[in-house]
Amino acid sequence: TFNHHLRAIKNFYNFLTIEKELAIPNIPKKMKLKYENPNPTSIDDQDFLKLLSVINEEDSIQVLKSGVKKNRFRSYTKHGIELAAYTGMRLEEVTSLKYSDIVVDSEGELECLIGTDLKFERAHNWDNTKATKTVYIPISKELEELLIKLDYKENLGVDKYLIAGDDGIDRKSLAKQLSHSFTFYRNKAELSSDFSIKHLRKTFLTKLHLQTGLTESMGYQKTSSVILKNYVDKRAVVKEVNKRGFRFINQPV
């Protein structure tokens, strides 16, 4: 985000000094971009399952450095984290998904979930003059099982949030709450602190890339280069290549 905004400022000053020939100091020209990690990582399946296994009411009180106690468990905590993992959407986008976003085919079978790319909307459609950028979320077996737990058949087409739909909680506040809960339960499961809830998106897109190669076609990112650079776990790709029996010299049939 920092680099994104700084590049915009640099371009604006270049426009003013070069195109408009204004005699002003080009201060942003000397400002350096932050280092961007070129090696995104994903969450191991067993680690994710271990995380889910400790999400319960037991031992869910976190004592902050200030001494304030926070209960990190809610009835929807586990479902919220699972929905983030199985959709690959950003956290606020996950909390904004509704039952009315569920699409079924002519036979009533689950077809997809339709999400909204909020990051794109805020950057390019802030005045709501363009068509909303949607993301077509595929229905994995895990997502189907979760939607069944959330009673989607009874609520199909209803304008109600999938997560905490009856609680009246602000979506940004809910996203922040889920993020804090994820970190708490990650530590409770004694897992590495190298990943946060944001890594669920990287994990999803890595798996989708490896299994289909169609990630950008569903609207997750504008180009495949963005996905490959920022979201796909290269080590996971190597493991999959090895699993498929990659050879340097093809064996004769």
Side-chain angles (χ1 to χ4, degrees), residues 182-194:
F182 180 95
T183 302
F184 172 79
Y185 287 112
R186 179 202 66 195
N187 295 337
K188 182 180 176 181
E190 298 181 343
L191 299 174
S192 170
S193 60
D194 291 341

Side-chain angles (χ1 to χ4, degrees), residues 76-95:
Y76 50 75
T77 302
K78 186 175 182 179
H79 288 161
I81 291 174
E82 285 187 284
L83 192 63
Y86 306 151
T87 61
M89 300 294 285
R90 300 180 185 91
L91 200 48
E92 190 184 344
E93 296 166 352
V94 170
T95 61

